[in-house]
C-alpha cells in the first residue's frame, strides 16, 4: 500500500527520524488547535438556550442526580443503552452541581475533540488546508450544531468515532504499534458502550482498509481489535433489546425520510471528486466516504427491520462529510496556488465567512428554546404562578412529571394524587401511577387541580387507561379556569363544577 500524498502533506516521520522543524511543528499544532478552539467557542455561544431544557435532556438531568444504586435500578428498567453516559453525568453533577452548563459542556468539549481529529486526519492525508477546512467545517454542519449543545451522548459518540478513525489512519500510515491497536479497540469499545449503533463504524473502517489495500497483517490485527471491542459491547446490545419498546414511537421508514441521506451522500461524493479516489491509495476520500456513507445506509437498512431512523444515532457520519468538505476546499487552494498565491490563502476564510452568513439563521434558531419540542423548565414557572395552597396536580401523559423531577420546589405544596411510587423508588423516569379507579376517586375529592400536559402541536392523542380516566373526570366534573402555554408545555387549572356536566 502506498499512501497518497500532496505537496503540502506532512507524512509521519519514521522511528528515530529527527524531530520536525519548529515552523513545521507550529503548523501541525495550529491545524488541530484552531478548529478545536473555533468549535469550543462556537459551542459556548448561547449555551443555556435561554435557560431551557427539553424532555430528552430532562432524562439526563433526572438520572444524573440519582445515587449510583438508583441509576443501576433505573437502567434495569429503561435507558440501559445510555447507562455509561448517565454514570459519567452523575459524576459531573456530583462534582460541579446540576445546571445547563454542566449538562451541555461535555458535548461542547467532545465536539471540539472531534473537530481536532478531523483536522489531523485531513492534514495527514490531504495537506494543511484540507485539515483546517475539514476541522472548521465540522462544527458548522447543521446536525452538529444541534447536538453541539445537547445534554445527551451523541456528541461524545462522534468524538469516540473520530478518535478511532484517527488511530486507524495512524496505523495505515505505517506507524502501527501494539499500543495503537489497544487504543483503537478501547476507543471503539467505549464509543459502543455510549451508543451501540456507533459500531457501524466497524463496517466503515474495513471499507477503508480494503479500498486502501491494507496488508494482510494489518487486516488481521484490525479484526482482532474490532472483534474484541464488539464482544465487549455485545452484552449491552442483548440487554437493550429487552427495552426496545422505548423506540416504538419512531415512525416506519418512508421515502421522504431518505431525502436527507441522499443529499448528504451527493454532497460528499461531489466533494470527493478532486481527490480522485482510487484503490490502493490512502486518501481523504477512502476515509471520508465510507465514514459518511456506511452509517447512513446502515441505519436505513436497519430501519427496514425495526424503525430506528433518527439522524442523531449516526451523528458521527458527519465526520466523513466534514473531511470531504475539507478535501474540496483544499483542492481549490492547491489549484489556485500556482497562479494566484496570495488570493489562494483567502479561499478558506472567505468560504467560512460565506458559510457562517448562510447558516446564521439556523445557528440562531438552534440556540433558541423553540428549536426543541418543549421546555421542561417553562412549565415550572407557570406552576409557581398558578398554584394555590391545597391544590392537586396531574400529569398527562405521566412522562410530563419530568417538570416536577427537575424543579421539585415549584411543586411544593401540591399533591401528586395519581402517583403511587416516585420515579426514584420505581427506577423509572415517570414514576408508577395508581389504578384508574383510584385516580378517579382521588380526583373527586379535590376542588382545584393543576394539569401539566403538552401544548399543541406537540400534544398527542390521550392513550392509556390512566390518562383517559384523568381527562374524562376533568371534563365531566371540572371546568378550566386558567390556561398557560409556553414552549411546548401547557398548564391548565381546573375547578370543581357545582353540578356534573
Amino acid at each position: 500500500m502506498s499512501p497518497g500524498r500532496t505537496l503540502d502533506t506532512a507524512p509521519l516521520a519514521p522511528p528515530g527520524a529527527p524531530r520536525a522543524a519548529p515552523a513545521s511543528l507550529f503548523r501541525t499544532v495550529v491545524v488541530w488547535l484552531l478548529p478545536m478552539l473555533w468549535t469550543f467557542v462556537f459551542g459556548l455561544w448561547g449555551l443555556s438556550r435561554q435557560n431551557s431544557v427539553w424532555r430528552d435532556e430532562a432524562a439526563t438531568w433526572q438520572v444524573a442526580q440519582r445515587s449510583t444504586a438508583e441509576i443501576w435500578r433505573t437502567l434495569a428498567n429503561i435507558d440501559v443503552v445510555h447507562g455509561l453516559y448517565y454514570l459519567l453525568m452523575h459524576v459531573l453533577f456530583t462534582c460541579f452541581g446540576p445546571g445547563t452548563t454542566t449538562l451541555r459542556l461535555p458535548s461542547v468539549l467532545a465536539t471540539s475533540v472531534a473537530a481536532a481529529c478531523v483536522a489531523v486526519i485531513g492534514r495527514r492525508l490531504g495537506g494543511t488546508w484540507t485539515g483546517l477546512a475539514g476541522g472548521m467545517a465540522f462544527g458548522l454542519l447543521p446536525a452538529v450544531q444541534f447536538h453541539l449543545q445537547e445534554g445527551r451522548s451523541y456528541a461524545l459518540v462522534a468524538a469516540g468515532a473520530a478518535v478511532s478513525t484517527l488511530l486507524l489512519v495512524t496505523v495505515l500510515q505505517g506507524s502501527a504499534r501494539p499500543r495503537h491497536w489497544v487504543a483503537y479497540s478501547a476507543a471503539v469499545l467505549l464509543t459502543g458502550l455510549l451508543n451501540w449503533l456507533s459500531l457501524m463504524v466497524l463496517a466503515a473502517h474495513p471499507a477503508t482498509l480494503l479500498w486502501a489495500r491494507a496488508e494482510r497483517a494489518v487486516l488481521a490485527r484490525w479484526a482482532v481489535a474490532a472483534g474484541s471491542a464488539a464482544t465487549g459491547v455485545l452484552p449491552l446490545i442483548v440487554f437493550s433489546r429487552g427495552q426496545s419498546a422505548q423506540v416504538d414511537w419512531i415512525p416506519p421508514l418512508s421515502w421522504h425520510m431518505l431525502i436527507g441521506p441522499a443529499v448528504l451522500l451527493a454532497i460528499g461524493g461531489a466533494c470527493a471528486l478532486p481527490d480522485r479516489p482510487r484503490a490502493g491509495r490512502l486518501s481523504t476520500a477512502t476515509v471520508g466516504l465510507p465514514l459518511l456513507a456506511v452509517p447512513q445506509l446502515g441505519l436505513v437498512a436497519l430501519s427496514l427491520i425495526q424503525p430506528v431512523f433518527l439522524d442523531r444515532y449516526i451523528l458521527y457520519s458527519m465526520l466523513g462529510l466534514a473531511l470531504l468538505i475539507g478535501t474540496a476546499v483544499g483542492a481549490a487552494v492547491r489549484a489556485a496556488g500556482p497562479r494566484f498565491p496570495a488570493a489562494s490563502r483567502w479561499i478558506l476564510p472567505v468560504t467560512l465567512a460565506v458559510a457562517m452568513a448562510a447558516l446564521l439563521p439556523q445557528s440562531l434558531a438552534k440556540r433558541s428554546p423553540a428549536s426543541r419540542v418543549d421546555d421542561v423548565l417553562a412549565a415550572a414557572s407557570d406552576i409557581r404562578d398558578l398554584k394555590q395552597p391545597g391544590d392537586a396536580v396531574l400529569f398527562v401523559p405521566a412522562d410530563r412529571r419530568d417538570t416536577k423531577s427537575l424543579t421539585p420546589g415549584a411543586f411544593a405544596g401540591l399533591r401528586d394524587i395519581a402517583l403511587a411510587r416516585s420515579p426514584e423508588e420505581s427506577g423509572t423516569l415517570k414514576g408508577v401511577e395508581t389504578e384508574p379507579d383510584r385516580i378517579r376517586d382521588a380526583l373527586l375529592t379535590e376542588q382545584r387541580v393543576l394539569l401539566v400536559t403538552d401544548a399543541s402541536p406537540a400534544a398527542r392523542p390521550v392513550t392509556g387507561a390512566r390518562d383517559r380516566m384523568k381527562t374524562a373526570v376533568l371534563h365531566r366534573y371540572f371546568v378550566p379556569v386558567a390556561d398557560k402555554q409556553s414552549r411546548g408545555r401547557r398548564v391548565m387549572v381546573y375547578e370543581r363544577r357545582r353540578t356534573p356536566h
Side-chain angles (χ1 to χ4, degrees):
M1 178 191 66
S2 58
R5 298 192 177 97
T6 57
L7 291 176
D8 60 343
T9 300
L12 295 177
R19 292 188 177 183
S24 177
L25 181 62
F26 176 77
R27 177 181 293 183
T28 301
V29 172
V30 167
V31 166
W32 64 261
L33 184 60
L34 190 58
M36 174 181 277
L37 294 177
W38 159 277
T39 306
F40 181 73
V41 172
F42 205 58
L44 294 181
W45 170 33
L47 184 62
S48 71
R49 286 206 305 273
Q50 300 177 33
N51 196 39
S52 64
V53 175
W54 78 294
R55 62 183 64 171
D56 278 17
E57 293 180 309
T60 300
W61 193 311
Q62 287 183 68
V63 180
Q65 291 194 87
R66 298 178 183 180
S67 68
T68 304
E70 289 173 337
I71 292 175
W72 283 114
R73 189 182 311 128
T74 301
L75 298 180
N77 298 316
I78 192 173
D79 269 358
V80 68
V81 71
H82 299 300
L84 179 60
Y85 176 69
Y86 286 154
L87 290 169
L88 170 64
M89 294 306 298
H90 169 72
V91 173
L92 295 178
F93 271 37
T94 301
C95 294
F96 303 105
T100 54
T101 300
T102 308
L103 180 69
R104 296 179 182 137
L105 193 57
S107 291
V108 175
L109 293 170
T111 308
S112 303
V113 169
C117 290
V118 170
V120 174
I121 295 170
R123 182 182 185 277
R124 289 184 181 182
L125 301 180
T128 299
W129 290 110
T130 296
L132 270 176
M136 302 288 271
F138 182 68
L140 283 175
L141 296 174
V144 176
Q145 284 199 55
F146 187 94
H147 295 285
L148 173 64
Q149 299 178 331
E150 186 83 344
R152 299 297 276 174
S153 64
Y154 307 110
L156 277 70
V157 171
V163 170
S164 65
T165 303
L166 176 57
L167 289 166
L168 184 73
V169 170
T170 299
V171 299
L172 285 176
Q173 287 191 312
S175 295
R177 298 288 186 276
R179 66 176 180 271
H180 290 123
W181 289 116
V182 172
Y184 176 86
S185 185
V188 174
L189 172 63
L190 290 174
T191 307
L193 293 176
L194 285 169
N195 189 327
W196 60 260
L197 284 174
S198 68
L199 291 182
M200 280 191 285
V201 79
L202 294 181
H205 286 172
T208 295
L209 291 168
L210 295 174
W211 200 348
R213 292 182 180 172
E215 298 174 355
R216 288 185 178 181
V218 173
L219 291 172
R221 293 187 182 100
W222 175 85
V224 172
S228 300
T231 301
V233 181
L234 185 59
L236 174 64
I237 298 174
V238 173
F239 192 87
S240 66
R241 294 299 299 158
Q243 298 179 358
S244 60
Q246 288 181 245
V247 295
D248 284 349
W249 61 272
I250 301 177
L253 190 67
S254 59
W255 287 109
H256 79 272
M257 297 167 71
L258 300 178
I259 296 175
V263 171
L264 293 175
L265 293 176
I267 293 173
C271 290
L273 290 177
D275 191 43
R276 295 183 180 86
R278 61 179 180 270
R281 175 176 175 264
L282 181 64
S283 66
T284 51
T286 57
V287 175
L289 278 176
L291 195 54
L292 170 63
V294 171
Q296 295 284 339
L297 298 176
L299 190 63
V300 169
L302 189 60
S303 297
L304 295 175
I305 302 171
Q306 177 177 345
V308 289
F309 193 83
L310 294 176
D311 59 359
R312 59 177 177 257
Y313 291 161
I314 50 170
L315 179 68
Y316 57 92
S317 69
M318 295 298 100
L319 298 164
L321 181 60
L323 188 58
L324 295 169
I325 291 173
T327 300
V329 175
V333 173
R334 288 192 296 275
R339 297 184 61 185
F340 311 102
S344 66
R345 298 187 180 93
W346 286 95
I347 290 178
L348 176 57
V350 170
T351 301
L352 287 174
V354 170
M356 286 193 66
L359 292 171
L360 183 59
Q362 279 206 39
S363 299
L364 292 172
K366 293 182 187 303
R367 287 163 173 79
S368 72
S371 64
R372 271 64 174 176
V373 173
D374 58 5
D375 177 12
V376 177
L377 302 183
S381 178
D382 294 337
I383 287 289
R384 289 189 181 95
D385 294 339
L386 295 173
K387 72 177 183 179
Q388 294 181 7
D391 286 353
V393 63
L394 285 177
F395 301 90
V396 175
D399 303 79
R400 300 295 80 84
R401 193 171 275 107
D402 53 6
T403 299
K404 180 184 174 185
S405 297
L406 263 63
T407 57
F411 290 80
L414 296 178
R415 298 187 308 282
D416 192 346
I417 56 176
L419 187 64
R421 297 175 64 200
S422 71
E424 295 80 7
E425 292 173 341
S426 60
T428 63
L429 295 178
K430 61 184 179 181
V432 175
E433 296 191 335
T434 189
E435 296 303 315
D437 289 343
R438 292 192 175 186
I439 293 175
R440 179 182 184 278
D441 294 341
L443 260 175
L444 293 178
T445 65
E446 302 295 333
Q447 295 299 316
R448 199 168 184 272
V449 178
L450 274 65
L451 173 67
V452 181
T453 186
D454 292 318
S456 299
R460 297 179 180 179
V462 174
T463 58
R466 293 175 176 84
D467 290 342
R468 289 199 301 270
M469 179 63 76
K470 296 173 193 174
T471 55
V473 174
L474 287 175
H475 290 161
R476 182 175 183 184
Y477 295 97
F478 292 78
V479 60
V481 296
D483 187 345
K484 279 194 174 185
Q485 300 190 45
S486 179
R487 298 177 179 176
R489 290 289 170 102
R490 185 178 188 181
V491 179
M492 301 180 68
V493 180
Y494 286 86
E495 290 185 353
R496 186 69 178 270
R497 296 178 185 272
R498 292 186 179 182
T499 56
H501 178 65

